[in-house]
Amino acid sequence: SSCLGAEVQGGKFCFEIQPPFTAMVDASQVKALEAFVAKFKEDPTIIHSPELAFFKDFLACLGATLPAKPPASPAAGASPPPAAEPVVEEEEEEEEEEPEEPEEEDPDLLPKDDPPFPEKAPEGELELTDEQLDKQGDAQGAAAEALGDGNLEEALAKFTEAIKIGNVAANLYAKRAEVLLKLKRPCACIADCDSALSVNQNNARAYRVRGRANRLVGNWEQAHKDLAQAQSLDFDSFADADIELKKLVASKWEKIQVKQRSARLKAEERKKKEMKKRKEEAKRIYEEQKKAEAAGASAGGFPGGGGFPGGFPGMGGMGGMM
């Protein structure tokens, strides 16, 4: 009598193991065959897997009716099917940036002057002789007289002569700075004011003159700070012209600050949008990779018996049984 019976009925595979067959194999082989048959009943179409070609031929020899072959699927290891084009969400229309207002023409701006600047006093504290003190006093007097006559170059030369003797007071640097500003040498003026403030950091005159010079070269922030400091140190000597200049500088600096804040906020917003786009793109790529991996894992139907835990245990022995 036959030891095996195989038939596919109504799309299901029926496999009967008869007693004479079980006597020919050990228990582990029977368990393996039962596990295979259970899987086969769940999905008869796996009979068309290339790995089971020998079993398919065996069933055909027995006269079994086999299920229809399923539609072809990509082989394992083959390139995954091209991912569907992601639905591109319409990007939010970026607000058009308002064109910046053109800078108002400032007829009072001066070109920046380059070094060399007038000489400074010798470094360090010097003990001047009476003769040197007299000479320094005479030079300052001559500078004041030349300034009164409108001779700026002579005044500059005399102030420089007095400064080079040494032990210069902050006011002497500040006075020469005023002359330099009148000569339209704003950077040299600022350098002298810096020297004056290194001698006396509370010299209101140096702050006031430096504030004017910074305004004339467009250093609005520093001009604003200098004029505010000069007024706080010596309010009484702050003339009407200085007050008007301080108002002009404060207004200009406020406008600049508004522009700077606006530019910073726009830059931060652009950075946030770029970060969001990068995250969305990384997420899209990750999801596509996961889909491709899933498609590759499910492709090939029955690769190497991987559909069963541990493959087909004992299938080598089953080849001998059949």
Side-chain angles (χ1 to χ4, degrees):
S1 62
S2 173
C3 62
L4 288 176
E7 186 178 3
V8 177
Q9 298 174 350
K12 291 192 175 182
F13 177 70
C14 299
F15 198 110
E16 180 183 359
I17 302 175
Q18 298 174 1
F21 174 77
T22 56
M24 297 170 57
V25 295
D26 59 34
S28 62
Q29 290 176 324
V30 173
K31 288 290 184 185
L33 184 58
E34 286 178 348
F36 168 70
V37 171
K39 187 69 177 178
F40 196 14
K41 285 181 178 181
E42 290 176 11
D43 182 12
T45 60
I46 62 173
I47 195 63
H48 298 289
S49 298
E51 295 85 351
L52 296 179
F54 72 94
F55 193 52
K56 179 179 176 182
D57 293 341
F58 171 68
L59 294 177
C61 289
L62 294 179
T65 304
L66 302 178
K69 189 174 183 180
S73 59
S79 300
E85 290 188 13
V87 178
V88 180
E89 296 181 1
E90 293 185 5
E91 295 184 2
E92 296 179 5
E93 292 185 4
E94 294 187 6
E95 295 181 6
E96 292 185 6
E97 294 186 6
E98 296 181 3
E100 291 187 3
E101 295 181 9
E103 290 286 338
E104 296 178 8
E105 195 170 330
D106 189 349
D108 294 326
L109 283 180
L110 295 176
K112 292 183 179 181
D113 50 311
D114 297 321
F117 300 146
E119 291 181 77
K120 305 288 178 70
E123 292 184 5
E125 192 74 21
L126 302 176
E127 188 174 343
L128 301 182
T129 63
D130 290 341
E131 183 181 352
Q132 287 176 314
L133 289 171
D134 290 341
K135 188 176 179 181
Q136 191 175 61
D138 291 343
Q140 289 188 63
E145 186 177 344
L147 193 58
D149 294 337
N151 190 343
L152 298 177
E153 291 291 351
E154 179 65 17
L156 175 61
K158 290 300 179 181
F159 276 133
T160 301
E161 183 181 325
I163 287 171
K164 287 169 63 178
I165 293 172
N167 283 4
V168 179
N171 257 342
L172 183 50
Y173 273 123
K175 287 177 181 178
R176 188 174 74 171
E178 288 177 325
V179 174
L180 288 165
L181 191 57
K182 289 178 180 179
L183 288 168
K184 298 184 178 181
R185 297 178 64 184
C187 294
C189 167
I190 291 170
D192 264 9
C193 290
D194 291 344
S195 297
L197 292 170
S198 68
V199 175
N200 178 6
Q201 62 180 359
N202 293 319
N203 188 276
R205 188 173 198 165
Y207 279 115
R208 184 170 62 250
V209 176
R210 192 172 71 175
R212 293 172 185 167
N214 276 310
R215 176 263 176 272
L216 291 173
V217 292
N219 292 340
W220 298 103
E221 180 179 6
Q222 190 59 49
H224 177 68
K225 291 178 180 178
D226 286 342
L227 293 172
Q229 184 69 7
Q231 188 178 34
S232 68
L233 289 169
D234 190 0
F235 183 82
D236 293 335
S237 66
F238 218 67
D240 290 342
D242 293 320
I243 293 172
E244 289 303 314
L245 176 61
K246 184 173 179 293
K247 288 180 181 178
L248 170 68
V249 170
S251 173
K252 184 71 175 179
W253 173 233
E254 185 177 358
K255 290 180 181 178
I256 291 172
Q257 284 182 303
V258 169
K259 284 185 178 180
Q260 288 177 345
R261 280 195 296 268
S262 177
R264 185 178 67 253
L265 291 173
K266 286 178 181 177
E268 289 174 358
E269 188 62 27
R270 281 195 297 270
K271 188 176 180 181
K272 286 179 182 177
K273 287 181 179 179
E274 289 171 4
M275 181 67 71
K276 183 181 177 182
K277 284 182 181 178
R278 285 198 293 269
K279 286 182 177 178
E280 289 176 350
E281 179 65 11
K283 182 180 178 182
R284 182 187 67 79
I285 292 172
Y286 173 76
E287 289 177 349
E288 285 186 358
Q289 287 176 342
K290 294 297 286 183
K291 287 178 182 177
E293 289 172 5
S298 62
F302 209 66
F308 302 116
F312 284 129
M315 283 299 287
M318 288 176 64
M321 295 186 302
M322 300 177 187

